[in-house]
Amino acid sequence: MKIAVVGDTLLDIDLVGHADRLCPDAPVPVLDVDDRLERAGGAGLVATLLADDGHDVELVTALADDDAAGRLRALLGPVRVHAAPLGAPTPVKMRLTASGQRIARVDEGCATPPYPVVDFGLLSVLEEAEAVVVADYGRRFTSVPTVRAALETVARRIPVVWDPHPRGARPVHGSAAVTPNLSELLTFSGREVDEPGAVAIAAGRLRQRWGARAVVVTLGERGALVCAPDGDTHVAVPSAGLRIEDPCGAGDRFASSLAIALAHGEPLGAATETAVATAAAFLAAGGVASLRRGGQPGFPEAGGTGPAADSPAVALARRVRAAGGTVVAAGGCFDLLHAGHLHLLQAARALGDCLVVCLNSDDSIRRLKGPERPVMNEHDRAELLLALSCVDAVEIFTEDTPEAVLDTLRPHVWVKGADYNPDELPESKQLRSWGGEVVTVPLAPGRSTTGLAAAIASLG
């Protein structure tokens, strides 16, 4: 599908590490950086997400002629960039994270820029788009008259989903959906809104003021509230157990998914349900951190030398350890998830303050169990595990055994089924080296993936 993204583009940088000491000349933490992640932010992030989904993406924006803009163009990869001169430095936002906890953000070049000059030729790509996402980050691009005129024209024939900003421009008349979050709704409406009735009333007034077909308010863990024509409201909720560790990128993921669903002809309520589910999966997999490896969006791609330092599972383990909690890990294939798996994972989670599942990759399972396995691919298996309330994170590994991932996670407890003898497991010596232990839990009788797979095969 051909999608156009219109709006402000920024360079986002994450410095990830640990802070175990204070600066000698001031009572501030010293961040020892383990990893640096650069990515396109703002409209650039929306374009990246859509391109990773396999869509044909045109980004219409304004860029400076500086080093940061050159890095942005490289990061955008297959996205075709149509950029007016920015007339100011490229905005850079740098986030500092220590052991999973955000400690500071440093902004460079983020003062309000002059209005860019955007001619109609730059906007001609909108004529071939099947949907448009407007990512307004309050930097004036969407206030330019030529941009607004082009968007108003295109909104008459295709869905335009507008992600607004409190300092940004008014959404154009006829937008298919405007997607403020609850904080932005408070700013736009000028009144306290939290309970669903007040949210619906405020959203309805904004819909009329903006001339939008719908206003869809994102509510974090509570999902999203849709205010449609004639005052109809609809609440879409994510699956149970969603825990938001880092909300960065959630609004971009939601707006891009909503635009795609609407372009496919889904009714507004169903499209919102799709967008909520997509955003929830994105956040459950670590949000923007899951984009760093260039693999399938949503889950960290398996590596051969253990997880990266900014892996969501590693960050979670560091955060729990820093708070004095107990990190529990369990491993296996978890192909065709069944009640026996659930009992083991529930028992494992009860042993500590978080549970990380170390999941065998597809290649690893094929080497261990033969070419007919796994029945389900690694990303589907990870998604099902993350949907369980007892699972806090999933880390996929490609090796035949989990030693590399355990060496990085350093759990206090490693859980296996009672069919294993702890003294015979190579992980036991590894866990003891840092003071951890291996615990076995009873198996649920009569439950096995092999038996379930054979039963399914017999039905065919």
Side-chain angles (χ1 to χ4, degrees):
M1 182 172 288
K2 192 162 190 174
I3 310 296
V5 180
V6 178
D8 307 302
T9 303
L10 310 86
L11 177 63
D12 283 343
I13 301 174
D14 279 346
L15 296 181
V16 180
H18 55 280
D20 302 323
R21 54 198 171 92
L22 293 177
C23 180
D25 55 0
V28 295
V30 175
L31 177 67
D32 288 312
V33 176
D34 296 320
D35 207 359
R36 175 188 176 104
L37 166 64
E38 293 188 356
R39 64 179 175 276
L45 177 58
V46 177
T48 299
L49 292 168
L50 288 166
D52 283 347
D53 290 341
H55 298 290
D56 186 3
V57 184
E58 312 272 359
L59 173 61
V60 183
T61 188
L63 290 176
D65 183 16
D66 56 17
D67 178 65
R71 284 146 63 195
L72 269 173
R73 289 181 182 274
L75 289 166
L76 286 164
V79 175
R80 286 187 293 277
V81 180
H82 310 270
L86 180 58
T90 298
V92 178
K93 295 188 177 183
M94 184 179 299
R95 304 189 307 170
L96 280 62
T97 302
S99 302
Q101 179 66 46
R102 188 76 40 74
I103 60 173
R105 195 181 88 183
V106 179
D107 289 359
E108 295 179 351
C110 291
T112 304
Y115 289 99
V117 177
V118 186
D119 61 44
F120 280 108
L122 191 75
L123 299 162
S124 62
V125 296
L126 301 182
E127 297 172 5
E128 299 178 3
E130 297 171 76
V132 174
V133 182
V134 179
D136 188 350
Y137 275 72
R139 295 185 56 79
R140 293 186 165 177
F141 189 81
T142 57
S143 299
V144 175
T146 52
V147 174
R148 298 187 63 78
L151 289 172
E152 285 185 359
T153 298
V154 78
R156 299 188 188 108
R157 65 174 183 84
I158 61 173
V160 171
V161 173
W162 191 295
D163 192 5
H165 190 281
R167 297 192 304 274
R170 177 192 185 108
V172 298
H173 189 276
S175 296
V178 183
T179 60
N181 61 34
L182 192 58
S183 174
E184 290 163 346
L185 182 68
L186 170 63
T187 301
F188 293 133
S189 65
R191 63 185 66 196
E192 190 70 35
V193 287
D194 189 18
E195 69 91 23
V199 172
I201 291 171
R205 289 173 177 168
L206 284 177
R207 191 188 70 79
Q208 293 179 342
R209 185 196 308 171
W210 289 333
R213 297 177 191 173
V215 168
V216 182
V217 184
T218 56
L219 304 171
E221 293 93 340
R222 292 182 288 167
L225 182 144
V226 181
C227 179
D230 304 321
D232 293 338
T233 59
H234 172 81
V235 178
V237 297
S239 58
L242 174 63
R243 296 173 296 275
I244 298 180
E245 302 291 344
D246 182 359
C248 181
D252 302 299
R253 178 73 280 187
F254 179 86
S256 60
S257 301
L258 182 62
I260 295 299
L262 291 173
H264 278 303
E266 290 189 33
L268 180 61
T272 303
E273 297 277 2
T274 299
V276 165
T278 303
F282 173 76
L283 288 172
V288 290
S290 66
L291 301 175
R292 64 160 288 124
R293 311 194 190 180
Q296 179 175 335
F299 298 105
E301 189 170 297
T305 57
D310 65 345
S311 155
V314 174
L316 172 65
R318 283 179 176 164
R319 186 164 59 253
V320 171
R321 273 197 304 272
T326 298
V327 178
V328 182
C333 301
F334 297 98
D335 196 12
L336 294 179
L337 199 63
H338 55 69
H341 292 142
L342 178 61
H343 295 161
L344 183 142
L345 294 172
Q346 287 175 329
R349 182 61 176 82
L351 295 173
D353 299 288
C354 74
L355 172 61
V356 177
V357 175
C358 303
L359 184 67
N360 288 77
S361 69
D362 293 347
D363 288 341
S364 172
I365 292 176
R366 278 189 283 269
R367 291 194 299 270
L368 294 171
K369 297 181 179 292
E372 301 302 319
R373 299 282 295 275
V375 178
M376 300 175 61
N377 70 59
E378 60 198 49
H379 297 293
D380 286 349
R381 289 184 284 123
E383 185 172 356
L384 287 171
L385 286 166
L386 284 167
L388 300 177
S389 61
C390 55
V391 175
D392 298 287
V394 173
E395 188 69 49
I396 302 171
F397 65 95
T398 59
E399 300 85 359
D400 293 342
T401 57
E403 277 93 339
V405 68
L406 288 175
D407 192 55
T408 303
L409 288 171
R410 298 286 176 117
H412 300 91
V413 182
W414 174 242
V415 176
K416 297 292 288 185
D419 53 336
Y420 289 92
N421 183 342
D423 295 333
E424 297 176 358
L425 287 171
E427 300 97 295
S428 294
K429 181 178 179 180
Q430 186 182 17
L431 265 289
R432 284 195 295 269
S433 71
W434 58 73
E437 62 177 328
V438 175
V439 174
T440 59
V441 299
L443 296 175
R447 273 84 169 185
S448 78
T449 299
T450 300
L452 184 57
I456 293 172
S458 68
L459 297 175

